Amino acid sequence: MDVTIIEAAQRVLAKVEISGGGRCNCTNSFASVRDLQTVYPRGHRLMKRLFRCFDYRDAYRWFEERGVPLVTQDDDCVFLRSQDSHSIINLFLSEAARLGIHVRTGCRIRSLDELSDYDYIAVTTGGQPRSQGLQWLGHDIVEPVPSLFTFSIDDARLHQLMGTVVEGASAMIAGTRLRAEGPLLITHWGMSGPCILRLSSYAARELHDADYRLPLIVNWTGRNEQEVQGELTRISTDHPRKQLSTIRPFGLGQRLWNYLSEKALAGRSQAPWGSLNKKEANRLTTILTADSYAISGRAPFRDEFVTCGGISLQAVNPTTLESKTRPHLFFAGEVLDIDGITGGFNFQAAWTTAYVVSQSI
């Protein structure tokens, strides 16, 4: 079989090169995943079907058998042991050379008619920021919108806590069931970290439709209200004369605890623990478990790498990923309406769909 890769850019795999800060989070161990919908907000049913053909264990084995050892972190993310994305880039390029695959760069295709000389076509162009970028494919398109982005929040006092990480936080969009957990990072523009990136993925369409202005609720402790009330009562009982600033519940950082207690108690943040009345204790509990913010937009940087939307999954055969309307035309990767949360899941979707397409051809 004679195979040609056609790339619009001047070099291939540029997105792989910068992924994971140049370390390439190439898949996930899926050890903590009980339901694929929690990691693939769009396309989880299709991914479950395709995993029967090629899943994360197959991807792990594929790379290692070709001389690229991998390592699984405590958070289940799988990285290259070399911690250098060029290891995977060099593997793909060497495999292409070994198999005699032609690579044409700087070649932009604007119509499928330009590819009429080919017996089979696999479209793997990745996500597009607007549906116009997919119109040339002539299929039903789910409007693309950004996913995996950070939140801008107009709160100057919060911005002063930049660099603070809360490991066990959770966040949700108020009035919805959209909720995510994990490390939360406070930045000089708002909030980031895995918790926020996951929530942005779950709520991608809702946020887009609201012009990225929705109410955000943050639980800084990861505990429920009853547990937090119990811990605050225990501290008040055991250390009544200690100032609030001297005992930080739930391992919160000093700067964050000072900010939250002042936000809850307004001028009483230096009071003794034993002096808290019921109303103040309730306000402190609310701030710790349901702290409210107003999302004012996406981060001021073009930092999103993923879009939700693309070629409708109804337009392809769910077993082969072949177009239902144009024989011998296949789709793989983010060009399809499949997207995952942060943690290697989007790369795994790329490997899985690409493998299925190659086997189908």
Side-chain angles (χ1 to χ4, degrees), residues 42-55:
R42 271 75 47 179
H44 62 280
R45 291 187 181 88
L46 179 60
M47 289 302 299
K48 184 176 181 180
R49 174 195 289 262
L50 300 182
F51 270 4
R52 298 171 193 161
C53 181
F54 190 88
D55 68 4

Side-chain angles (χ1 to χ4, degrees), residues 330-343:
F330 298 79
F331 300 96
E334 201 186 333
V335 70
L336 289 164
D337 185 24
I338 300 173
D339 66 285
I341 65 172
T342 183

Side-chain angles (χ1 to χ4, degrees), residues 157-187:
R157 292 188 60 221
L158 178 72
H159 299 170
Q160 293 174 4
L161 304 177
M162 61 176 291
T164 298
V165 176
V166 182
E167 293 292 339
S170 64
M172 66 179 295
I173 302 299
T176 75
R177 295 184 179 181
L178 300 167
R179 181 176 183 274
E181 302 174 349
L184 186 153
L185 169 67
I186 300 174
T187 68

Side-chain angles (χ1 to χ4, degrees), residues 259-275:
Y259 165 78
L260 295 174
S261 58
E262 179 63 27
K263 188 176 182 180
L265 304 176
R268 287 262 295 153
S269 60
Q270 297 301 316
W273 274 95
S275 72

Side-chain angles (χ1 to χ4, degrees), residues 302-316:
R302 295 185 178 275
D303 57 353
E304 57 266 10
F305 281 84
V306 177
T307 57
C308 79
I311 298 297
S312 170
L313 300 185
Q314 303 305 312
V316 299

Side-chain angles (χ1 to χ4, degrees), residues 68 164 180 188 198 238 259 283 313 320:
V68 177
T164 298
H188 68 274
R198 289 169 188 163
D238 294 349
Y259 165 78
R283 282 207 305 267
L313 300 185
T320 64

